[in-house]
Amino acid sequence: MVTGARAGWTSGVGNTTRRRRYWPTYQFTDSAGIPFTGESQVSDVQERAPGELLQVAYDPRNPAESFVVSSQERATLGCLVPFFIVFSAVSLWFVAHFPLS
């Protein structure tokens, strides 16, 4: 559950515009019901509301080590995998039909 957020700015390096970003802070309980807190390593463009639920993964041997599971990362991975499959198939077809030697 979101408990707040740390606000900051992007660096603006490389001729990019600086933007406001938010790193949500959260609280979760482990399987024994012990509460732990954490801060997301991935920033968001919009500030999350306190009380909003997040999916958190943690190390059962050390629940203090946790991170927010980002749906954006899953979406990016979901788009990249099919792209590389198609790219590999086209590359193999190209090499098979147009040998380099």
Side-chain angles (χ1 to χ4, degrees):
M1 176 174 52
V2 174
T3 58
R6 180 175 59 87
W9 293 89
T10 59
S11 65
V13 174
N15 235 3
T16 60
T17 305
R18 294 187 69 199
R19 293 202 164 90
R20 188 89 161 146
R21 303 295 290 192
Y22 300 93
W23 288 264
T25 55
Y26 56 88
Q27 181 177 8
F28 68 97
T29 56
D30 68 358
S31 58
I34 300 170
F36 289 90
T37 60
E39 180 179 286
S40 178
Q41 298 297 320
V42 179
S43 65
D44 286 334
V45 175
Q46 294 181 338
E47 186 174 10
R48 293 179 182 249
E52 184 179 341
L53 296 180
L54 294 173
Q55 186 176 5
V56 175
Y58 67 91
D59 181 354
R61 294 171 290 171
N62 183 8
E65 292 183 19
S66 64
F67 63 91
V68 174
V69 178
S70 173
S71 60
Q72 181 181 12
E73 292 171 357
R74 289 190 302 237
T76 302
L77 184 61
C79 292
L80 285 176
V81 168
F83 169 78
F84 282 114
I85 290 171
V86 170
F87 179 77
S88 298
V90 169
S91 296
L92 288 172
W93 177 85
F94 185 81
V95 169
H97 287 83
F98 302 103
L100 297 176
S101 55

XYZ file of all heavy atoms in Angstrom:
791
model
N 0.834 -1.157 0.000
C 0.000 0.000 0.000
C 0.896 1.242 0.000
O 1.885 1.307 0.729
C -0.895 -0.008 1.244
C -1.741 1.222 1.357
S -2.930 1.186 2.709
C -1.948 0.784 4.094
N 0.560 2.215 -0.834
C 1.321 3.461 -0.926
C 1.128 4.265 0.356
O 0.007 4.429 0.838
C 0.863 4.297 -2.148
C 1.531 5.652 -2.169
C 1.123 3.539 -3.433
N 2.239 4.752 0.907
C 2.175 5.593 2.109
C 2.542 7.038 1.810
O 2.317 7.911 2.624
C 3.120 5.054 3.197
O 4.451 5.004 2.675
C 2.692 3.666 3.654
N 3.138 7.292 0.658
C 3.552 8.642 0.279
C 4.433 8.568 -0.947
O 4.412 7.593 -1.676
N 5.229 9.620 -1.142
C 6.134 9.641 -2.289
C 7.248 10.642 -2.041
O 7.059 11.642 -1.355
C 5.392 9.992 -3.570
N 8.385 10.331 -2.603
C 9.497 11.286 -2.625
C 9.477 11.925 -4.008
O 9.452 11.236 -5.022
C 10.829 10.568 -2.405
C 12.027 11.498 -2.418
C 13.308 10.749 -2.080
N 13.594 9.651 -2.993
C 14.256 9.760 -4.135
N 14.672 10.939 -4.556
N 14.496 8.699 -4.875
N 9.453 13.238 -4.057
C 9.389 13.950 -5.328
C 10.779 14.424 -5.722
O 11.626 14.696 -4.878
C 8.446 15.137 -5.223
N 11.016 14.517 -7.031
C 12.285 15.002 -7.550
C 12.139 15.392 -9.006
O 11.046 15.379 -9.566
N 13.254 15.734 -9.603
C 13.277 16.161 -11.003
C 14.221 15.283 -11.795
O 15.229 14.800 -11.269
C 13.741 17.610 -11.108
C 12.776 18.577 -10.512
C 12.738 19.003 -9.209
C 11.695 19.220 -11.164
N 11.703 19.878 -9.030
C 11.045 20.034 -10.215
C 11.210 19.188 -12.466
C 9.942 20.806 -10.529
C 10.119 19.974 -12.781
C 9.490 20.762 -11.817
N 13.914 15.081 -13.076
C 14.864 14.393 -13.949
C 16.037 15.327 -14.169
O 15.937 16.536 -13.956
C 14.231 14.017 -15.299
O 13.767 15.203 -15.937
C 13.089 13.034 -15.124
N 17.147 14.797 -14.626
C 18.376 15.584 -14.722
C 18.370 16.604 -15.846
O 19.061 17.609 -15.767
C 19.574 14.652 -14.902
O 19.475 13.983 -16.141
N 17.632 16.358 -16.913
C 17.648 17.284 -18.039
C 18.913 17.167 -18.877
O 19.233 18.050 -19.662
N 19.650 16.067 -18.722
C 20.881 15.853 -19.468
C 20.552 15.537 -20.928
O 19.521 14.959 -21.237
C 21.686 14.693 -18.831
C 22.902 14.346 -19.662
C 22.102 15.059 -17.429
N 21.413 15.910 -21.824
C 21.250 15.581 -23.231
C 20.196 16.417 -23.919
O 19.488 15.942 -24.784
N 20.078 17.651 -23.508
C 19.139 18.575 -24.151
C 17.682 18.174 -23.951
O 16.838 18.471 -24.787
C 19.447 18.690 -25.647
C 19.651 20.119 -26.066
O 19.611 21.024 -25.231
N 19.863 20.336 -27.344
N 17.377 17.465 -22.866
C 15.997 17.095 -22.577
C 15.425 18.030 -21.529
O 16.153 18.638 -20.744
C 15.884 15.642 -22.070
O 16.650 15.518 -20.867
C 16.378 14.663 -23.110
N 14.122 18.135 -21.506
C 13.442 18.984 -20.547
C 13.389 18.289 -19.191
O 13.111 17.096 -19.117
C 12.002 19.262 -21.022
O 12.059 19.810 -22.326
C 11.282 20.209 -20.095
N 13.654 19.048 -18.141
C 13.538 18.489 -16.796
C 12.064 18.239 -16.498
O 11.205 19.027 -16.858
C 14.125 19.448 -15.767
C 15.629 19.613 -15.950
C 16.216 20.421 -14.846
N 16.134 19.615 -13.635
C 16.220 20.118 -12.407
N 16.365 21.390 -12.207
N 16.139 19.333 -11.357
N 11.789 17.106 -15.846
C 10.411 16.745 -15.528
C 10.309 16.330 -14.069
O 11.224 15.747 -13.515
C 9.939 15.598 -16.421
C 9.823 16.013 -17.863
C 8.880 15.094 -18.609
N 8.478 15.694 -19.863
C 9.106 15.542 -21.006
N 10.182 14.805 -21.065
N 8.656 16.132 -22.103
N 9.176 16.585 -13.488
C 8.892 16.187 -12.110
C 8.601 14.689 -12.083
O 7.848 14.180 -12.915
C 7.667 16.963 -11.610
C 7.393 16.779 -10.158
C 8.151 17.800 -9.382
N 7.566 17.932 -8.058
C 8.288 18.198 -7.003
N 9.576 18.409 -7.120
N 7.735 18.302 -5.841
N 9.219 13.960 -11.159
C 9.030 12.519 -11.017
C 8.730 12.198 -9.550
O 9.084 12.953 -8.655
C 10.282 11.755 -11.447
C 10.740 12.027 -12.875
C 9.766 11.570 -13.886
N 9.758 10.115 -13.906
C 9.180 9.389 -14.825
N 8.548 9.956 -15.814
N 9.199 8.086 -14.775
N 8.096 11.050 -9.325
C 7.721 10.630 -7.971
C 8.174 9.188 -7.735
O 7.966 8.323 -8.575
C 6.206 10.719 -7.793
C 5.680 12.117 -7.999
C 5.224 12.529 -9.241
C 5.671 13.026 -6.951
C 4.759 13.822 -9.435
C 5.208 14.323 -7.138
C 4.754 14.708 -8.387
O 4.306 15.985 -8.579
N 8.785 8.965 -6.581
C 9.199 7.629 -6.162
C 8.297 7.229 -4.997
O 8.458 7.740 -3.886
C 10.659 7.627 -5.726
C 11.608 7.765 -6.859
C 12.246 6.755 -7.505
C 12.030 8.974 -7.502
N 13.037 7.262 -8.504
C 12.931 8.632 -8.526
C 11.751 10.328 -7.309
C 13.533 9.556 -9.346
C 12.352 11.263 -8.129
C 13.229 10.872 -9.132
N 7.325 6.335 -5.250
C 6.378 5.970 -4.188
C 7.067 5.266 -3.018
O 7.975 4.461 -3.215
C 5.407 5.014 -4.867
C 5.714 5.044 -6.311
C 7.048 5.649 -6.498
N 6.634 5.604 -1.824
C 7.020 4.853 -0.629
C 5.835 3.968 -0.291
O 4.685 4.311 -0.552
C 7.356 5.786 0.548
O 6.259 6.660 0.794
C 8.608 6.603 0.254
N 6.108 2.795 0.258
C 5.042 1.821 0.481
C 5.283 1.025 1.743
O 6.394 0.999 2.291
C 4.926 0.877 -0.720
C 6.212 0.166 -1.073
C 6.552 -1.033 -0.476
C 7.105 0.715 -1.995
C 7.732 -1.689 -0.788
C 8.280 0.074 -2.315
C 8.588 -1.124 -1.710
O 9.761 -1.756 -2.016
N 4.218 0.379 2.197
C 4.282 -0.534 3.330
C 3.639 -1.845 2.897
O 2.645 -1.844 2.169
C 3.539 0.041 4.531
C 3.592 -0.858 5.745
C 2.905 -0.233 6.960
O 2.263 0.797 6.855
N 3.065 -0.865 8.087
N 4.224 -2.945 3.336
C 3.674 -4.275 3.047
C 3.922 -5.174 4.240
O 4.705 -4.831 5.128
C 4.301 -4.869 1.776
C 5.752 -5.210 1.924
C 6.149 -6.504 2.227
C 6.727 -4.242 1.766
C 7.494 -6.821 2.365
C 8.072 -4.550 1.899
C 8.458 -5.845 2.206
N 3.231 -6.291 4.271
C 3.463 -7.265 5.329
C 3.986 -8.550 4.715
O 3.579 -8.937 3.617
C 2.168 -7.565 6.118
O 1.167 -7.987 5.212
C 1.686 -6.332 6.867
N 4.907 -9.196 5.422
C 5.427 -10.474 4.917
C 4.442 -11.585 5.251
O 3.353 -11.332 5.776
C 6.833 -10.746 5.465
C 6.854 -11.020 6.959
O 5.783 -10.966 7.615
O 7.949 -11.286 7.485
N 4.811 -12.814 4.959
C 3.905 -13.947 5.163
C 3.584 -14.168 6.642
O 2.566 -14.768 6.975
C 4.494 -15.213 4.551
O 5.756 -15.478 5.133
N 4.421 -13.660 7.546
C 4.173 -13.788 8.986
C 3.354 -12.611 9.520
O 3.054 -12.554 10.706
C 5.509 -13.887 9.732
N 3.016 -11.660 8.643
C 2.228 -10.505 9.063
C 3.044 -9.356 9.631
O 2.487 -8.418 10.185
N 4.370 -9.422 9.504
C 5.241 -8.355 10.015
C 5.294 -7.235 8.976
O 5.570 -7.494 7.807
C 6.660 -8.897 10.295
C 6.582 -10.009 11.333
C 7.591 -7.776 10.748
C 7.869 -10.768 11.521
N 5.035 -5.986 9.402
C 5.051 -4.878 8.431
C 6.473 -4.436 8.083
O 7.363 -4.432 8.924
C 4.290 -3.763 9.153
C 4.434 -4.070 10.599
C 4.584 -5.561 10.718
N 6.658 -4.082 6.811
C 7.916 -3.547 6.306
C 7.607 -2.340 5.431
O 6.500 -2.215 4.915
C 8.672 -4.591 5.469
C 9.238 -5.710 6.280
C 8.493 -6.857 6.521
C 10.509 -5.633 6.808
C 9.001 -7.893 7.265
C 11.034 -6.664 7.562
C 10.278 -7.801 7.792
N 8.592 -1.466 5.260
C 8.431 -0.306 4.386
C 9.498 -0.340 3.306
O 10.531 -0.991 3.451
C 8.546 1.020 5.166
O 9.830 1.080 5.780
C 7.460 1.148 6.207
N 9.246 0.373 2.224
C 10.210 0.455 1.145
C 9.940 1.670 0.285
O 8.950 2.381 0.465
N 10.854 1.904 -0.653
C 10.701 2.988 -1.616
C 10.997 2.432 -2.996
O 11.977 1.711 -3.183
C 11.664 4.134 -1.307
C 11.544 5.283 -2.292
C 12.470 6.441 -1.976
O 12.179 7.175 -1.024
O 13.483 6.572 -2.673
N 10.152 2.762 -3.948
C 10.316 2.266 -5.311
C 11.604 2.794 -5.922
O 11.963 3.956 -5.730
C 9.125 2.682 -6.173
O 9.308 2.242 -7.493
N 12.300 1.950 -6.660
C 13.502 2.362 -7.386
C 13.144 2.969 -8.734
O 13.962 3.604 -9.373
C 14.424 1.162 -7.600
C 14.912 0.544 -6.310
C 15.762 1.498 -5.498
O 16.571 2.242 -6.039
N 15.546 1.527 -4.200
N 11.895 2.762 -9.163
C 11.424 3.258 -10.454
C 10.481 4.430 -10.202
O 9.550 4.323 -9.411
C 10.690 2.146 -11.231
C 10.176 2.655 -12.559
C 11.600 0.945 -11.421
N 10.738 5.534 -10.877
C 9.904 6.717 -10.670
C 8.655 6.656 -11.538
O 8.600 5.956 -12.537
C 10.697 7.975 -10.990
O 11.043 8.020 -12.353
N 7.658 7.408 -11.125
C 6.404 7.539 -11.865
C 6.239 8.990 -12.286
O 6.726 9.906 -11.626
C 5.207 7.159 -10.988
C 5.098 5.663 -10.753
O 5.584 4.898 -11.605
O 4.520 5.277 -9.728
N 5.508 9.201 -13.365
C 5.206 10.558 -13.824
C 4.153 11.188 -12.927
O 4.218 12.370 -12.620
C 4.725 10.531 -15.291
C 4.300 11.910 -15.753
C 5.801 9.979 -16.193
N 3.186 10.386 -12.488
C 2.130 10.895 -11.623
C 2.325 10.373 -10.215
O 2.723 9.225 -10.005
C 0.763 10.472 -12.145
C 0.422 11.093 -13.480
C -0.959 10.667 -13.954
O -1.483 9.650 -13.526
N -1.537 11.446 -14.842
N 2.006 11.221 -9.251
C 2.105 10.821 -7.854
C 0.971 9.862 -7.524
O -0.181 10.100 -7.884
C 2.033 12.049 -6.957
C 2.264 11.755 -5.510
C 2.335 13.016 -4.670
O 2.020 14.096 -5.178
O 2.710 12.890 -3.491
N 1.293 8.759 -6.877
C 0.272 7.783 -6.491
C -0.396 8.255 -5.191
O 0.246 8.835 -4.324
C 0.885 6.416 -6.295
C 1.402 5.823 -7.590
C 2.018 4.469 -7.319
N 2.565 3.906 -8.522
C 2.056 2.848 -9.136
N 0.997 2.248 -8.653
N 2.609 2.375 -10.222
N -1.669 7.946 -5.078
C -2.442 8.360 -3.908
C -2.130 7.453 -2.720
O -2.023 6.228 -2.891
C -3.926 8.303 -4.226
N -1.975 8.026 -1.522
C -1.798 7.180 -0.337
C -2.970 6.211 -0.203
O -4.122 6.565 -0.426
C -1.781 8.190 0.821
C -1.290 9.457 0.184
C -1.891 9.450 -1.206
N -2.655 4.965 0.108
C -3.666 3.927 0.218
C -3.807 3.090 -1.048
O -4.407 2.015 -1.020
N -3.248 3.587 -2.174
C -3.309 2.825 -3.426
C -2.492 1.547 -3.268
O -1.431 1.539 -2.658
C -2.751 3.672 -4.567
C -2.848 3.023 -5.925
C -2.303 3.930 -7.024
O -2.182 5.146 -6.825
O -1.998 3.375 -8.091
N -2.989 0.464 -3.832
C -2.297 -0.817 -3.713
C -1.245 -0.976 -4.802
O -1.461 -0.590 -5.948
C -3.297 -1.970 -3.788
C -4.317 -2.023 -2.652
C -5.258 -3.206 -2.849
C -3.643 -2.101 -1.302
N -0.111 -1.532 -4.422
C 0.992 -1.830 -5.337
C 1.319 -3.306 -5.215
O 1.151 -3.904 -4.162
C 2.253 -1.041 -4.954
C 2.236 0.458 -5.078
C 3.524 1.024 -4.483
C 2.132 0.855 -6.524
N 1.851 -3.875 -6.292
C 2.349 -5.241 -6.223
C 3.822 -5.163 -5.850
O 4.619 -4.515 -6.539
C 2.173 -5.949 -7.555
C 2.545 -7.398 -7.499
C 2.271 -8.111 -8.822
O 1.892 -7.502 -9.804
N 2.480 -9.404 -8.823
N 4.187 -5.803 -4.741
C 5.555 -5.756 -4.227
C 6.124 -7.163 -4.178
O 5.438 -8.105 -3.777
C 5.583 -5.139 -2.802
C 6.968 -5.195 -2.200
C 5.071 -3.708 -2.830
N 7.353 -7.312 -4.622
C 8.074 -8.581 -4.490
C 9.157 -8.385 -3.428
O 9.768 -7.321 -3.351
C 8.699 -8.982 -5.815
N 9.362 -9.400 -2.587
C 10.384 -9.292 -1.553
C 11.081 -10.626 -1.360
O 10.568 -11.680 -1.736
C 9.781 -8.795 -0.234
C 8.820 -9.757 0.429
C 9.271 -10.684 1.361
C 7.460 -9.742 0.131
C 8.395 -11.572 1.964
C 6.581 -10.613 0.725
C 7.055 -11.529 1.652
O 6.189 -12.406 2.247
N 12.275 -10.550 -0.782
C 13.062 -11.743 -0.490
C 12.548 -12.325 0.829
O 12.654 -11.667 1.865
C 14.539 -11.363 -0.370
C 15.440 -12.543 -0.092
O 14.928 -13.661 0.127
O 16.676 -12.347 -0.098
N 11.992 -13.541 0.826
C 11.452 -14.109 2.068
C 12.502 -14.277 3.173
O 12.170 -14.221 4.348
C 10.904 -15.479 1.647
C 10.828 -15.460 0.173
C 11.784 -14.415 -0.312
N 13.755 -14.433 2.779
C 14.826 -14.551 3.788
C 15.193 -13.202 4.380
O 15.717 -13.132 5.480
C 16.064 -15.204 3.181
C 15.817 -16.662 2.780
C 16.966 -17.205 2.003
N 16.919 -16.506 0.706
C 17.842 -16.547 -0.221
N 18.929 -17.247 -0.024
N 17.702 -15.908 -1.354
N 14.916 -12.121 3.622
C 15.204 -10.767 4.100
C 14.125 -9.830 3.540
O 14.344 -9.164 2.533
C 16.599 -10.329 3.644
C 16.961 -8.957 4.173
O 16.257 -8.389 4.989
N 18.061 -8.422 3.687
N 12.957 -9.778 4.176
C 11.853 -8.984 3.641
C 12.152 -7.488 3.510
O 11.444 -6.781 2.801
C 10.721 -9.217 4.646
C 11.057 -10.508 5.295
C 12.554 -10.541 5.339
N 13.204 -7.014 4.163
C 13.568 -5.601 4.007
C 14.030 -5.316 2.578
O 14.025 -4.160 2.144
C 14.652 -5.219 5.005
N 14.427 -6.352 1.843
C 14.801 -6.199 0.437
C 13.547 -6.422 -0.406
O 13.105 -7.547 -0.585
C 15.885 -7.202 0.051
C 17.213 -6.942 0.696
C 18.262 -7.921 0.217
O 18.075 -8.563 -0.843
O 19.271 -8.057 0.925
N 12.981 -5.331 -0.903
C 11.747 -5.423 -1.673
C 11.802 -4.457 -2.844
O 12.628 -3.548 -2.872
C 10.546 -5.078 -0.789
O 10.621 -3.728 -0.370
N 10.915 -4.678 -3.811
C 10.787 -3.746 -4.924
C 9.377 -3.811 -5.481
O 8.683 -4.805 -5.324
C 11.829 -4.015 -6.019
C 11.700 -5.352 -6.684
C 10.921 -5.499 -7.820
C 12.347 -6.457 -6.176
C 10.794 -6.732 -8.436
C 12.225 -7.693 -6.781
C 11.449 -7.827 -7.913
N 8.975 -2.714 -6.108
C 7.654 -2.636 -6.724
C 7.726 -3.323 -8.077
O 8.637 -3.075 -8.865
C 7.211 -1.164 -6.898
C 5.911 -1.076 -7.674
C 7.089 -0.487 -5.548
N 6.769 -4.208 -8.339
C 6.679 -4.868 -9.634
C 5.976 -3.894 -10.570
O 4.830 -3.519 -10.343
C 5.898 -6.196 -9.528
C 5.781 -6.849 -10.888
C 6.583 -7.117 -8.542
N 6.682 -3.464 -11.601
C 6.161 -2.438 -12.500
C 5.458 -3.061 -13.692
O 6.037 -3.874 -14.399
C 7.310 -1.554 -12.984
O 6.865 -0.667 -13.978
N 4.219 -2.655 -13.942
C 3.503 -3.150 -15.115
C 4.111 -2.577 -16.383
O 4.030 -3.169 -17.456
C 2.027 -2.800 -15.029
O 1.850 -1.396 -14.963
N 4.754 -1.403 -16.290
C 5.401 -0.795 -17.459
C 6.539 -1.685 -17.944
O 6.725 -1.875 -19.138
C 5.924 0.588 -17.114
C 6.595 1.293 -18.270
C 7.125 2.663 -17.873
O 7.184 2.997 -16.699
N 7.519 3.439 -18.845
N 7.313 -2.242 -17.017
C 8.408 -3.137 -17.399
C 7.868 -4.382 -18.081
O 8.422 -4.857 -19.060
C 9.220 -3.524 -16.166
C 9.993 -2.376 -15.559
C 10.605 -2.725 -14.220
O 10.384 -3.845 -13.722
O 11.290 -1.871 -13.657
N 6.763 -4.920 -17.572
C 6.173 -6.111 -18.177
C 5.651 -5.796 -19.574
O 5.772 -6.603 -20.484
C 5.056 -6.658 -17.300
C 5.566 -7.300 -16.028
C 4.457 -8.022 -15.322
N 3.357 -7.129 -15.013
C 2.865 -6.920 -13.811
N 3.359 -7.554 -12.795
N 1.855 -6.095 -13.614
N 5.057 -4.611 -19.747
C 4.533 -4.228 -21.065
C 5.676 -4.059 -22.058
O 5.584 -4.492 -23.211
C 3.726 -2.939 -20.957
N 6.770 -3.433 -21.612
C 7.927 -3.258 -22.489
C 8.501 -4.610 -22.885
O 8.781 -4.851 -24.058
C 9.004 -2.415 -21.787
O 8.435 -1.151 -21.432
C 10.211 -2.202 -22.670
N 8.646 -5.487 -21.920
C 9.165 -6.822 -22.208
C 8.214 -7.575 -23.134
O 8.641 -8.246 -24.071
C 9.367 -7.604 -20.910
C 9.992 -8.982 -21.042
C 11.386 -8.869 -21.647
C 10.049 -9.667 -19.696
N 6.914 -7.419 -22.915
C 5.928 -8.070 -23.764
C 5.977 -7.598 -25.205
O 5.637 -8.335 -26.125
N 6.411 -6.369 -25.433
C 6.549 -5.853 -26.799
C 7.892 -6.233 -27.413
O 7.981 -6.459 -28.623
C 6.403 -4.334 -26.806
S 4.740 -3.779 -26.404
N 8.932 -6.277 -26.596
C 10.265 -6.569 -27.116
C 10.435 -8.032 -27.521
O 11.105 -8.319 -28.514
C 11.328 -6.198 -26.088
C 11.598 -4.714 -25.930
C 12.607 -4.478 -24.807
C 12.110 -4.116 -27.222
N 9.850 -8.946 -26.786
C 10.023 -10.368 -27.087
C 9.514 -10.709 -28.492
O 10.252 -11.286 -29.288
C 9.380 -11.245 -25.990
C 9.292 -12.695 -26.430
C 10.162 -11.124 -24.698
N 8.272 -10.345 -28.857
C 7.825 -10.644 -30.227
C 8.678 -9.949 -31.289
O 8.932 -10.521 -32.353
C 6.375 -10.136 -30.267
C 5.954 -10.072 -28.859
C 7.179 -9.805 -28.065
N 9.128 -8.724 -31.007
C 9.973 -8.020 -31.967
C 11.242 -8.808 -32.245
O 11.628 -8.998 -33.401
C 10.326 -6.618 -31.455
C 11.388 -5.953 -32.266
C 11.080 -5.376 -33.487
C 12.707 -5.930 -31.828
C 12.065 -4.766 -34.256
C 13.697 -5.325 -32.588
C 13.375 -4.744 -33.805
N 11.929 -9.280 -31.205
C 13.173 -10.016 -31.408
C 12.940 -11.374 -32.063
O 13.785 -11.848 -32.812
C 13.943 -10.159 -30.094
C 14.664 -8.892 -29.716
C 14.305 -8.180 -28.597
C 15.689 -8.404 -30.505
C 14.955 -7.013 -28.261
C 16.351 -7.230 -30.183
C 15.982 -6.534 -29.057
N 11.799 -11.989 -31.814
C 11.483 -13.251 -32.487
C 11.330 -13.017 -33.988
O 11.911 -13.738 -34.802
C 10.215 -13.886 -31.880
C 10.510 -14.392 -30.470
C 9.689 -15.016 -32.766
C 9.295 -14.842 -29.702
N 10.568 -11.998 -34.358
C 10.380 -11.681 -35.779
C 11.695 -11.252 -36.406
O 12.047 -11.675 -37.512
C 9.292 -10.594 -35.956
C 9.239 -10.083 -37.382
C 7.938 -11.135 -35.523
N 12.465 -10.413 -35.709
C 13.757 -9.949 -36.221
C 14.695 -11.131 -36.466
O 15.370 -11.199 -37.503
C 14.393 -8.959 -35.236
C 15.732 -8.461 -35.666
C 15.844 -7.495 -36.656
C 16.886 -8.966 -35.086
C 17.091 -7.028 -37.056
C 18.136 -8.509 -35.483
C 18.233 -7.539 -36.479
N 14.725 -12.087 -35.535
C 15.586 -13.271 -35.696
C 15.144 -14.113 -36.883
O 15.980 -14.580 -37.670
C 15.553 -14.115 -34.418
O 16.049 -13.369 -33.337
N 13.832 -14.304 -37.031
C 13.330 -15.108 -38.153
C 13.658 -14.449 -39.489
O 14.096 -15.114 -40.433
C 11.819 -15.300 -38.010
N 13.478 -13.138 -39.590
C 13.792 -12.417 -40.826
C 15.287 -12.472 -41.110
O 15.707 -12.661 -42.259
C 13.277 -10.963 -40.758
C 13.811 -10.128 -41.907
C 11.752 -10.938 -40.736
N 16.092 -12.335 -40.077
C 17.555 -12.393 -40.255
C 17.985 -13.769 -40.762
O 18.820 -13.867 -41.670
C 18.264 -12.090 -38.932
O 17.990 -10.775 -38.523
N 17.442 -14.827 -40.193
C 17.787 -16.176 -40.640
C 17.336 -16.407 -42.082
O 18.050 -17.011 -42.873
C 17.158 -17.222 -39.714
C 17.789 -17.323 -38.330
C 16.964 -18.249 -37.439
C 19.222 -17.809 -38.415
N 16.146 -15.929 -42.416
C 15.661 -16.054 -43.789
C 16.583 -15.311 -44.749
O 16.948 -15.818 -45.798
C 14.243 -15.499 -43.901
C 13.718 -15.533 -45.305
C 13.117 -16.576 -45.929
C 13.795 -14.473 -46.268
N 12.797 -16.233 -47.222
C 13.203 -14.947 -47.449
C 14.294 -13.180 -46.233
C 13.107 -14.152 -48.592
C 14.189 -12.399 -47.371
C 13.600 -12.889 -48.538
N 16.991 -14.102 -44.367
C 17.853 -13.286 -45.215
C 19.197 -13.972 -45.444
O 19.685 -14.054 -46.569
C 18.063 -11.907 -44.571
C 18.849 -10.960 -45.437
C 18.230 -10.265 -46.456
C 20.209 -10.771 -45.223
C 18.947 -9.394 -47.257
C 20.937 -9.905 -46.015
C 20.294 -9.214 -47.037
N 19.799 -14.494 -44.381
C 21.095 -15.160 -44.500
C 20.976 -16.429 -45.336
O 21.864 -16.761 -46.120
C 21.675 -15.457 -43.104
C 22.874 -16.381 -43.175
C 22.027 -14.160 -42.380
N 19.860 -17.148 -45.196
C 19.668 -18.375 -45.962
C 19.497 -18.109 -47.456
O 19.953 -18.884 -48.299
C 18.455 -19.145 -45.430
N 18.860 -17.017 -47.803
C 18.594 -16.707 -49.217
C 19.646 -15.826 -49.878
O 19.741 -15.792 -51.099
C 17.206 -16.064 -49.350
C 16.105 -17.039 -49.157
N 15.644 -17.416 -47.915
C 15.379 -17.760 -50.043
C 14.686 -18.303 -48.044
N 14.491 -18.538 -49.336
N 20.391 -15.109 -49.092
C 21.445 -14.230 -49.628
C 22.738 -14.470 -48.867
O 23.116 -13.679 -48.012
C 21.030 -12.755 -49.492
C 19.737 -12.432 -50.179
C 18.557 -12.279 -49.467
C 19.688 -12.288 -51.581
C 17.369 -11.977 -50.088
C 18.493 -11.983 -52.205
C 17.330 -11.828 -51.474
N 23.427 -15.586 -49.144
C 24.665 -15.891 -48.407
C 25.710 -14.800 -48.614
O 25.781 -14.149 -49.648
C 25.133 -17.208 -49.004
C 24.232 -17.532 -50.122
C 23.118 -16.534 -50.163
N 26.502 -14.611 -47.584
C 27.521 -13.557 -47.618
C 28.715 -13.919 -48.468
O 29.431 -13.050 -48.939
C 27.971 -13.245 -46.165
C 26.863 -12.689 -45.261
C 27.396 -12.532 -43.855
C 26.354 -11.361 -45.802
N 28.984 -15.179 -48.684
C 30.161 -15.551 -49.475
C 29.812 -15.991 -50.864
O 28.760 -16.232 -51.273
C 30.929 -16.654 -48.776
O 30.099 -17.743 -48.503
